[in-house]
Amino acid sequence: MKRIFPEHSLPLDGSKLEEIYDYPKHLEHCWVQVNFVSSIDGAATAGGDSECLSNPADRNILALARDLADVIVAGITTAIVGEYQKIRVDPKRRERLGLSLQQPIAMVTNRCSLGPDSPQIVDASVTPIVVTCRNAPAMAQRDLIAAGVDLVVTGDDVVDLHGALRALEERGMKRIDCEGGPTLFGSLINEDLVDALCLTLAPCIVGGNDGRISAHQMPAQLHPMSLESVLESEGSLFVKYRRQRRANSSPHVQFAEVM
């Protein structure tokens, strides 16, 4: 056993943070890196609000995570509530790293529940991606295609996330920044699709009935992770864990949408 904090208290510059939160080099397949903030008693929100758990260092790391990714993936509710059409990244950093100046947002929805005139579509700076399933309303699918959306259809009644990742990979998007919400994260966990978790632990306890950062209807499964880094700022801890994937991971996963 060793004490990590406060033994090492030297400030980190931007290049060192990039090194800590960057993706593996020369990826052959998608790498899913999930970003979340929670209280130290495990709540994803306090009274339904996650912003109160954040601080400037957390927002800096979230911005960095977006800068480093080929695509930002989120469940439809998270994308709408978080106004993801407003996300902007650092073009100078991305140009230096050989990435597109602005990556798309990929929004996951079983029912294709996003109108063609929604801000996430009309105000997007690059062509948005909507991931849905074959049994989503056909008219809604046609409307989104007509609006210029890059529509990915995979799975029958619910989205097949393996198919979604394959579709992103085919588009050259292997560095996946997933920002939830809890149902999408829980579905990824359930089928062992999470390669890394970047978690901010806010220095507070919440209690109440606010949900956890992951949720899924299937029974809980244990997925061991390896600790890669621990940082601290203003009492918040920033931990990064990496998944050691099992060889016999299930080939299919379904996303149960919660609106």
Side-chain angles (χ1 to χ4, degrees):
M1 182 178 294
K2 61 182 178 180
R3 186 170 68 175
I4 298 173
F5 172 82
E7 292 291 333
H8 305 286
S9 57
L10 294 177
L12 297 175
D13 60 18
S15 61
K16 186 61 178 178
L17 280 177
E18 277 187 22
E19 179 183 328
I20 291 171
Y21 286 97
D22 203 1
Y23 293 74
K25 306 299 182 185
H26 311 298
L27 288 172
E28 295 183 2
H29 301 289
C30 285
W31 180 273
V32 179
Q33 194 152 287
V34 180
N35 286 274
F36 261 104
V37 60
S38 82
S39 66
I40 55 177
D41 62 334
T45 59
D49 177 24
S50 62
E51 284 297 317
C52 65
L53 301 177
S54 184
N55 67 10
D58 174 60
R59 290 186 283 274
N60 182 45
I61 288 176
L62 179 60
L64 173 61
R66 292 168 171 173
D67 285 348
L68 296 173
D70 292 325
V71 60
I72 300 170
V73 177
I76 192 65
T77 303
T78 297
I80 292 173
V81 173
E83 299 183 311
Y84 271 46
Q85 74 277 7
K86 296 181 179 179
I87 288 176
R88 297 294 181 267
V89 292
D90 183 345
K92 292 183 179 179
R93 173 184 275 152
R94 291 181 65 81
E95 184 177 24
R96 173 170 52 80
L97 296 174
L99 302 172
S100 62
L101 296 186
Q102 177 73 52
Q103 76 276 70
I105 308 298
M107 296 167 281
V108 183
T109 168
N110 291 332
R111 304 306 302 159
C112 214
S113 53
L114 190 70
D117 57 350
S118 66
Q120 289 71 32
I121 303 300
V122 298
D123 295 338
S125 58
V126 297
T127 301
I129 301 170
V130 173
V131 184
T132 193
C133 54
R134 282 180 281 275
N135 291 337
M139 183 174 292
Q141 297 187 46
R142 289 194 296 267
D143 287 346
L144 288 178
I145 293 172
V149 169
D150 183 359
L151 190 69
V152 173
V153 181
T154 176
D156 292 324
D157 295 318
V158 290
V159 168
D160 172 4
L161 291 178
H162 274 277
L165 292 181
R166 285 193 297 270
L168 295 177
E169 187 177 311
E170 290 167 359
R171 288 160 171 76
M173 302 172 189
K174 298 177 182 178
R175 300 154 68 99
I176 313 296
D177 168 32
C178 179
E179 300 183 8
T183 304
L184 177 55
F185 183 27
S187 298
L188 290 166
I189 292 173
N190 187 63
E191 291 294 333
D192 199 17
L193 284 172
V194 176
D195 294 294
L197 170 62
C198 304
L199 177 64
T200 297
L201 288 170
C204 60
I205 52 177
V206 172
N209 59 0
D210 287 77
R212 298 168 53 205
I213 63 173
S214 69
H216 198 276
Q217 296 176 349
M218 297 296 290
Q221 300 181 38
L222 184 66
H223 298 275
M225 306 282 283
S226 298
L227 181 64
E228 286 206 340
S229 66
V230 181
L231 309 178
E232 185 276 339
S233 178
E234 298 178 358
S236 289
L237 294 179
F238 306 88
V239 295
K240 182 178 180 181
Y241 287 92
R242 178 170 176 162
R243 173 75 174 128
Q244 299 300 320
R245 189 177 304 286
R246 297 193 304 267
N248 62 344
S249 294
S250 171
H252 299 289
V253 59
Q254 295 179 331
F255 166 62
E257 183 173 12
V258 174
M259 292 300 295

